Amino acid sequence: MEVQCYLFVLLGSKLFVDKSRDRLRPTINLFLKDHRRLTDYAWGASALAYLYRQLGVATRAGSKGLCGCLTLLQAWIYEYFPLFRPSQLPQSLDAPRASSWISPRLPGGDDARQRLACYRQLLDELSADDVTWTPYGRDGHTDIPRSLFTGPHSLF
């Protein structure tokens, strides 16, 4: 029961975040009832699909925030947009790539407004040459080892 509670909080507060800040979606609990089936679910693909959906919601008029796994979005931005990339620690190939970025501590208030204006200007002036289209190299699928892949699971 403790493991189920921990996973419920982890999934609701890290992967499938919403704007409530203090409430978790009860539907997550449906996937946690049978702990033997946890490895059958594609949690990464689910988190990515949820983030894509929330990005769509955030583009609507009147939207006041963004939900989803923002660590995933932040790591993607760092990989593809060098203009926004902070410094990076040397990392082994088997470590999560997102853990290698050193996020700067940025002040709030008026400084945050100035920083936002600066980022908006950088985005407005962005050209195709400012985007890293293949961050893992031309043959990234051969250069990066499969991590945490255990093979297909039986459907029966």
Side-chain angles (χ1 to χ4, degrees), residues 29-53:
N29 210 21
L30 296 173
F31 298 101
L32 303 177
K33 286 189 180 214
D34 185 2
H35 68 278
R36 294 168 294 183
R37 298 210 49 216
L38 287 175
T39 59
D40 292 346
Y41 302 120
W43 295 107
S46 300
L48 186 59
Y50 183 74
L51 176 61
Y52 284 159
R53 175 75 177 131

PDB file of all heavy atoms in Angstrom, residues 29-53:
ATOM      1  N   ASN A  29      -4.780   6.300 -10.099  1.00  0.00           N
ATOM      2  CA  ASN A  29      -4.872   5.158  -9.195  1.00  0.00           C
ATOM      3  C   ASN A  29      -5.313   3.884  -9.910  1.00  0.00           C
ATOM      4  O   ASN A  29      -4.976   2.785  -9.481  1.00  0.00           O
ATOM      5  CB  ASN A  29      -5.821   5.491  -8.048  1.00  0.00           C
ATOM      6  CG  ASN A  29      -5.454   4.781  -6.783  1.00  0.00           C
ATOM      7  OD1 ASN A  29      -4.321   4.356  -6.606  1.00  0.00           O
ATOM      8  ND2 ASN A  29      -6.420   4.632  -5.904  1.00  0.00           N
ATOM      9  N   LEU A  30      -6.057   4.013 -10.996  1.00  0.00           N
ATOM     10  CA  LEU A  30      -6.505   2.833 -11.746  1.00  0.00           C
ATOM     11  C   LEU A  30      -5.319   2.036 -12.292  1.00  0.00           C
ATOM     12  O   LEU A  30      -5.386   0.817 -12.386  1.00  0.00           O
ATOM     13  CB  LEU A  30      -7.415   3.260 -12.901  1.00  0.00           C
ATOM     14  CG  LEU A  30      -8.722   3.930 -12.518  1.00  0.00           C
ATOM     15  CD1 LEU A  30      -9.433   4.451 -13.769  1.00  0.00           C
ATOM     16  CD2 LEU A  30      -9.607   2.976 -11.758  1.00  0.00           C
ATOM     17  N   PHE A  31      -4.237   2.734 -12.627  1.00  0.00           N
ATOM     18  CA  PHE A  31      -3.075   2.064 -13.191  1.00  0.00           C
ATOM     19  C   PHE A  31      -2.175   1.455 -12.116  1.00  0.00           C
ATOM     20  O   PHE A  31      -1.265   0.697 -12.425  1.00  0.00           O
ATOM     21  CB  PHE A  31      -2.260   3.040 -14.043  1.00  0.00           C
ATOM     22  CG  PHE A  31      -3.024   3.572 -15.210  1.00  0.00           C
ATOM     23  CD1 PHE A  31      -3.589   4.835 -15.160  1.00  0.00           C
ATOM     24  CD2 PHE A  31      -3.197   2.801 -16.339  1.00  0.00           C
ATOM     25  CE1 PHE A  31      -4.307   5.329 -16.230  1.00  0.00           C
ATOM     26  CE2 PHE A  31      -3.921   3.282 -17.415  1.00  0.00           C
ATOM     27  CZ  PHE A  31      -4.477   4.550 -17.365  1.00  0.00           C
ATOM     28  N   LEU A  32      -2.414   1.795 -10.868  1.00  0.00           N
ATOM     29  CA  LEU A  32      -1.544   1.346  -9.785  1.00  0.00           C
ATOM     30  C   LEU A  32      -2.125   0.190  -8.982  1.00  0.00           C
ATOM     31  O   LEU A  32      -1.469  -0.319  -8.084  1.00  0.00           O
ATOM     32  CB  LEU A  32      -1.253   2.522  -8.838  1.00  0.00           C
ATOM     33  CG  LEU A  32      -0.623   3.740  -9.484  1.00  0.00           C
ATOM     34  CD1 LEU A  32      -0.464   4.845  -8.456  1.00  0.00           C
ATOM     35  CD2 LEU A  32       0.705   3.395 -10.107  1.00  0.00           C
ATOM     36  N   LYS A  33      -3.342  -0.214  -9.289  1.00  0.00           N
ATOM     37  CA  LYS A  33      -3.990  -1.266  -8.492  1.00  0.00           C
ATOM     38  C   LYS A  33      -3.231  -2.578  -8.526  1.00  0.00           C
ATOM     39  O   LYS A  33      -3.089  -3.233  -7.523  1.00  0.00           O
ATOM     40  CB  LYS A  33      -5.431  -1.471  -8.966  1.00  0.00           C
ATOM     41  CG  LYS A  33      -6.325  -0.343  -8.528  1.00  0.00           C
ATOM     42  CD  LYS A  33      -7.760  -0.653  -8.807  1.00  0.00           C
ATOM     43  CE  LYS A  33      -8.551   0.543  -8.337  1.00  0.00           C
ATOM     44  NZ  LYS A  33      -9.814   0.197  -7.818  1.00  0.00           N
ATOM     45  N   ASP A  34      -2.763  -2.956  -9.690  1.00  0.00           N
ATOM     46  CA  ASP A  34      -2.032  -4.209  -9.822  1.00  0.00           C
ATOM     47  C   ASP A  34      -0.558  -3.878 -10.050  1.00  0.00           C
ATOM     48  O   ASP A  34      -0.147  -3.559 -11.163  1.00  0.00           O
ATOM     49  CB  ASP A  34      -2.593  -5.030 -10.978  1.00  0.00           C
ATOM     50  CG  ASP A  34      -1.947  -6.400 -11.096  1.00  0.00           C
ATOM     51  OD1 ASP A  34      -1.088  -6.747 -10.263  1.00  0.00           O
ATOM     52  OD2 ASP A  34      -2.315  -7.130 -12.037  1.00  0.00           O
ATOM     53  N   HIS A  35       0.242  -3.951  -8.988  1.00  0.00           N
ATOM     54  CA  HIS A  35       1.655  -3.563  -9.086  1.00  0.00           C
ATOM     55  C   HIS A  35       2.438  -4.436 -10.064  1.00  0.00           C
ATOM     56  O   HIS A  35       3.469  -4.046 -10.556  1.00  0.00           O
ATOM     57  CB  HIS A  35       2.313  -3.587  -7.704  1.00  0.00           C
ATOM     58  CG  HIS A  35       2.440  -4.951  -7.120  1.00  0.00           C
ATOM     59  ND1 HIS A  35       1.403  -5.568  -6.470  1.00  0.00           N
ATOM     60  CD2 HIS A  35       3.466  -5.814  -7.111  1.00  0.00           C
ATOM     61  CE1 HIS A  35       1.795  -6.771  -6.069  1.00  0.00           C
ATOM     62  NE2 HIS A  35       3.035  -6.937  -6.448  1.00  0.00           N
ATOM     63  N   ARG A  36       1.942  -5.629 -10.364  1.00  0.00           N
ATOM     64  CA  ARG A  36       2.643  -6.512 -11.307  1.00  0.00           C
ATOM     65  C   ARG A  36       2.545  -6.003 -12.739  1.00  0.00           C
ATOM     66  O   ARG A  36       3.339  -6.364 -13.582  1.00  0.00           O
ATOM     67  CB  ARG A  36       2.077  -7.925 -11.216  1.00  0.00           C
ATOM     68  CG  ARG A  36       2.364  -8.591  -9.865  1.00  0.00           C
ATOM     69  CD  ARG A  36       1.569  -9.827  -9.707  1.00  0.00           C
ATOM     70  NE  ARG A  36       0.153  -9.401  -9.655  1.00  0.00           N
ATOM     71  CZ  ARG A  36      -0.859 -10.206  -9.462  1.00  0.00           C
ATOM     72  NH1 ARG A  36      -0.680 -11.481  -9.340  1.00  0.00           N
ATOM     73  NH2 ARG A  36      -2.086  -9.744  -9.404  1.00  0.00           N
ATOM     74  N   ARG A  37       1.586  -5.118 -13.022  1.00  0.00           N
ATOM     75  CA  ARG A  37       1.397  -4.623 -14.383  1.00  0.00           C
ATOM     76  C   ARG A  37       2.057  -3.264 -14.613  1.00  0.00           C
ATOM     77  O   ARG A  37       1.977  -2.710 -15.700  1.00  0.00           O
ATOM     78  CB  ARG A  37      -0.096  -4.506 -14.686  1.00  0.00           C
ATOM     79  CG  ARG A  37      -0.783  -5.861 -14.622  1.00  0.00           C
ATOM     80  CD  ARG A  37      -1.956  -6.012 -15.506  1.00  0.00           C
ATOM     81  NE  ARG A  37      -1.680  -5.593 -16.861  1.00  0.00           N
ATOM     82  CZ  ARG A  37      -2.580  -4.988 -17.615  1.00  0.00           C
ATOM     83  NH1 ARG A  37      -3.768  -4.738 -17.168  1.00  0.00           N
ATOM     84  NH2 ARG A  37      -2.280  -4.636 -18.849  1.00  0.00           N
ATOM     85  N   LEU A  38       2.718  -2.719 -13.605  1.00  0.00           N
ATOM     86  CA  LEU A  38       3.322  -1.389 -13.748  1.00  0.00           C
ATOM     87  C   LEU A  38       4.312  -1.313 -14.896  1.00  0.00           C
ATOM     88  O   LEU A  38       4.421  -0.295 -15.570  1.00  0.00           O
ATOM     89  CB  LEU A  38       4.003  -0.964 -12.447  1.00  0.00           C
ATOM     90  CG  LEU A  38       3.068  -0.565 -11.306  1.00  0.00           C
ATOM     91  CD1 LEU A  38       3.866  -0.293 -10.046  1.00  0.00           C
ATOM     92  CD2 LEU A  38       2.236   0.631 -11.699  1.00  0.00           C
ATOM     93  N   THR A  39       5.053  -2.377 -15.132  1.00  0.00           N
ATOM     94  CA  THR A  39       6.047  -2.369 -16.209  1.00  0.00           C
ATOM     95  C   THR A  39       5.407  -2.536 -17.590  1.00  0.00           C
ATOM     96  O   THR A  39       6.085  -2.363 -18.597  1.00  0.00           O
ATOM     97  CB  THR A  39       7.092  -3.480 -16.005  1.00  0.00           C
ATOM     98  OG1 THR A  39       6.421  -4.740 -15.964  1.00  0.00           O
ATOM     99  CG2 THR A  39       7.864  -3.258 -14.716  1.00  0.00           C
ATOM    100  N   ASP A  40       4.112  -2.843 -17.631  1.00  0.00           N
ATOM    101  CA  ASP A  40       3.422  -3.000 -18.915  1.00  0.00           C
ATOM    102  C   ASP A  40       3.068  -1.648 -19.539  1.00  0.00           C
ATOM    103  O   ASP A  40       2.785  -1.580 -20.728  1.00  0.00           O
ATOM    104  CB  ASP A  40       2.135  -3.799 -18.751  1.00  0.00           C
ATOM    105  CG  ASP A  40       2.403  -5.260 -18.390  1.00  0.00           C
ATOM    106  OD1 ASP A  40       3.557  -5.702 -18.523  1.00  0.00           O
ATOM    107  OD2 ASP A  40       1.447  -5.939 -17.967  1.00  0.00           O
ATOM    108  N   TYR A  41       3.066  -0.609 -18.737  1.00  0.00           N
ATOM    109  CA  TYR A  41       2.664   0.706 -19.223  1.00  0.00           C
ATOM    110  C   TYR A  41       3.865   1.477 -19.746  1.00  0.00           C
ATOM    111  O   TYR A  41       4.952   1.394 -19.212  1.00  0.00           O
ATOM    112  CB  TYR A  41       1.977   1.511 -18.116  1.00  0.00           C
ATOM    113  CG  TYR A  41       0.762   0.828 -17.546  1.00  0.00           C
ATOM    114  CD1 TYR A  41       0.699   0.504 -16.196  1.00  0.00           C
ATOM    115  CD2 TYR A  41      -0.321   0.505 -18.350  1.00  0.00           C
ATOM    116  CE1 TYR A  41      -0.416  -0.126 -15.663  1.00  0.00           C
ATOM    117  CE2 TYR A  41      -1.429  -0.125 -17.827  1.00  0.00           C
ATOM    118  CZ  TYR A  41      -1.472  -0.432 -16.487  1.00  0.00           C
ATOM    119  OH  TYR A  41      -2.565  -1.061 -15.975  1.00  0.00           O
ATOM    120  N   ALA A  42       3.632   2.263 -20.769  1.00  0.00           N
ATOM    121  CA  ALA A  42       4.678   3.117 -21.342  1.00  0.00           C
ATOM    122  C   ALA A  42       4.585   4.487 -20.666  1.00  0.00           C
ATOM    123  O   ALA A  42       3.960   5.418 -21.188  1.00  0.00           O
ATOM    124  CB  ALA A  42       4.485   3.234 -22.851  1.00  0.00           C
ATOM    125  N   TRP A  43       5.189   4.614 -19.482  1.00  0.00           N
ATOM    126  CA  TRP A  43       5.070   5.830 -18.690  1.00  0.00           C
ATOM    127  C   TRP A  43       5.701   7.028 -19.393  1.00  0.00           C
ATOM    128  O   TRP A  43       5.173   8.139 -19.327  1.00  0.00           O
ATOM    129  CB  TRP A  43       5.687   5.626 -17.308  1.00  0.00           C
ATOM    130  CG  TRP A  43       4.938   4.611 -16.499  1.00  0.00           C
ATOM    131  CD1 TRP A  43       5.351   3.340 -16.199  1.00  0.00           C
ATOM    132  CD2 TRP A  43       3.642   4.754 -15.918  1.00  0.00           C
ATOM    133  NE1 TRP A  43       4.395   2.696 -15.464  1.00  0.00           N
ATOM    134  CE2 TRP A  43       3.333   3.535 -15.271  1.00  0.00           C
ATOM    135  CE3 TRP A  43       2.710   5.787 -15.885  1.00  0.00           C
ATOM    136  CZ2 TRP A  43       2.133   3.331 -14.601  1.00  0.00           C
ATOM    137  CZ3 TRP A  43       1.524   5.579 -15.212  1.00  0.00           C
ATOM    138  CH2 TRP A  43       1.248   4.368 -14.585  1.00  0.00           C
ATOM    139  N   GLY A  44       6.822   6.835 -20.064  1.00  0.00           N
ATOM    140  CA  GLY A  44       7.465   7.937 -20.779  1.00  0.00           C
ATOM    141  C   GLY A  44       6.610   8.443 -21.925  1.00  0.00           C
ATOM    142  O   GLY A  44       6.429   9.651 -22.101  1.00  0.00           O
ATOM    143  N   ALA A  45       6.059   7.520 -22.698  1.00  0.00           N
ATOM    144  CA  ALA A  45       5.185   7.914 -23.803  1.00  0.00           C
ATOM    145  C   ALA A  45       3.927   8.595 -23.273  1.00  0.00           C
ATOM    146  O   ALA A  45       3.435   9.568 -23.859  1.00  0.00           O
ATOM    147  CB  ALA A  45       4.821   6.696 -24.641  1.00  0.00           C
ATOM    148  N   SER A  46       3.419   8.126 -22.156  1.00  0.00           N
ATOM    149  CA  SER A  46       2.235   8.742 -21.548  1.00  0.00           C
ATOM    150  C   SER A  46       2.535  10.159 -21.079  1.00  0.00           C
ATOM    151  O   SER A  46       1.734  11.077 -21.295  1.00  0.00           O
ATOM    152  CB  SER A  46       1.745   7.913 -20.365  1.00  0.00           C
ATOM    153  OG  SER A  46       1.392   6.621 -20.765  1.00  0.00           O
ATOM    154  N   ALA A  47       3.683  10.339 -20.445  1.00  0.00           N
ATOM    155  CA  ALA A  47       4.063  11.671 -19.974  1.00  0.00           C
ATOM    156  C   ALA A  47       4.261  12.622 -21.149  1.00  0.00           C
ATOM    157  O   ALA A  47       3.863  13.791 -21.099  1.00  0.00           O
ATOM    158  CB  ALA A  47       5.338  11.596 -19.134  1.00  0.00           C
ATOM    159  N   LEU A  48       4.851  12.127 -22.233  1.00  0.00           N
ATOM    160  CA  LEU A  48       5.063  12.948 -23.424  1.00  0.00           C
ATOM    161  C   LEU A  48       3.725  13.318 -24.073  1.00  0.00           C
ATOM    162  O   LEU A  48       3.504  14.478 -24.439  1.00  0.00           O
ATOM    163  CB  LEU A  48       5.956  12.213 -24.421  1.00  0.00           C
ATOM    164  CG  LEU A  48       6.403  12.980 -25.648  1.00  0.00           C
ATOM    165  CD1 LEU A  48       7.179  14.231 -25.261  1.00  0.00           C
ATOM    166  CD2 LEU A  48       7.244  12.076 -26.536  1.00  0.00           C
ATOM    167  N   ALA A  49       2.821  12.353 -24.191  1.00  0.00           N
ATOM    168  CA  ALA A  49       1.504  12.632 -24.774  1.00  0.00           C
ATOM    169  C   ALA A  49       0.740  13.641 -23.912  1.00  0.00           C
ATOM    170  O   ALA A  49       0.098  14.561 -24.443  1.00  0.00           O
ATOM    171  CB  ALA A  49       0.707  11.335 -24.905  1.00  0.00           C
ATOM    172  N   TYR A  50       0.820  13.497 -22.596  1.00  0.00           N
ATOM    173  CA  TYR A  50       0.159  14.427 -21.694  1.00  0.00           C
ATOM    174  C   TYR A  50       0.758  15.835 -21.837  1.00  0.00           C
ATOM    175  O   TYR A  50       0.033  16.823 -21.889  1.00  0.00           O
ATOM    176  CB  TYR A  50       0.276  13.933 -20.255  1.00  0.00           C
ATOM    177  CG  TYR A  50      -0.442  14.793 -19.249  1.00  0.00           C
ATOM    178  CD1 TYR A  50      -1.826  14.775 -19.149  1.00  0.00           C
ATOM    179  CD2 TYR A  50       0.264  15.630 -18.396  1.00  0.00           C
ATOM    180  CE1 TYR A  50      -2.490  15.566 -18.228  1.00  0.00           C
ATOM    181  CE2 TYR A  50      -0.390  16.431 -17.473  1.00  0.00           C
ATOM    182  CZ  TYR A  50      -1.770  16.390 -17.396  1.00  0.00           C
ATOM    183  OH  TYR A  50      -2.415  17.174 -16.484  1.00  0.00           O
ATOM    184  N   LEU A  51       2.074  15.917 -21.938  1.00  0.00           N
ATOM    185  CA  LEU A  51       2.731  17.211 -22.120  1.00  0.00           C
ATOM    186  C   LEU A  51       2.303  17.854 -23.436  1.00  0.00           C
ATOM    187  O   LEU A  51       1.992  19.051 -23.482  1.00  0.00           O
ATOM    188  CB  LEU A  51       4.256  17.054 -22.086  1.00  0.00           C
ATOM    189  CG  LEU A  51       5.072  18.321 -22.357  1.00  0.00           C
ATOM    190  CD1 LEU A  51       4.789  19.396 -21.317  1.00  0.00           C
ATOM    191  CD2 LEU A  51       6.555  17.987 -22.393  1.00  0.00           C
ATOM    192  N   TYR A  52       2.259  17.074 -24.528  1.00  0.00           N
ATOM    193  CA  TYR A  52       1.815  17.612 -25.820  1.00  0.00           C
ATOM    194  C   TYR A  52       0.403  18.171 -25.708  1.00  0.00           C
ATOM    195  O   TYR A  52       0.091  19.237 -26.218  1.00  0.00           O
ATOM    196  CB  TYR A  52       1.845  16.531 -26.910  1.00  0.00           C
ATOM    197  CG  TYR A  52       3.211  16.194 -27.432  1.00  0.00           C
ATOM    198  CD1 TYR A  52       3.441  14.986 -28.060  1.00  0.00           C
ATOM    199  CD2 TYR A  52       4.275  17.080 -27.327  1.00  0.00           C
ATOM    200  CE1 TYR A  52       4.692  14.663 -28.557  1.00  0.00           C
ATOM    201  CE2 TYR A  52       5.532  16.753 -27.819  1.00  0.00           C
ATOM    202  CZ  TYR A  52       5.725  15.557 -28.431  1.00  0.00           C
ATOM    203  OH  TYR A  52       6.952  15.236 -28.928  1.00  0.00           O
ATOM    204  N   ARG A  53      -0.461  17.421 -25.034  1.00  0.00           N
ATOM    205  CA  ARG A  53      -1.846  17.870 -24.862  1.00  0.00           C
ATOM    206  C   ARG A  53      -1.893  19.183 -24.077  1.00  0.00           C
ATOM    207  O   ARG A  53      -2.617  20.105 -24.421  1.00  0.00           O
ATOM    208  CB  ARG A  53      -2.648  16.786 -24.152  1.00  0.00           C
ATOM    209  CG  ARG A  53      -4.051  17.181 -23.824  1.00  0.00           C
ATOM    210  CD  ARG A  53      -4.899  17.172 -25.092  1.00  0.00           C
ATOM    211  NE  ARG A  53      -6.261  17.487 -24.750  1.00  0.00           N
ATOM    212  CZ  ARG A  53      -6.982  18.396 -25.382  1.00  0.00           C
ATOM    213  NH1 ARG A  53      -6.482  19.032 -26.405  1.00  0.00           N
ATOM    214  NH2 ARG A  53      -8.201  18.637 -25.020  1.00  0.00           N
TER     215      ARG A  53
END
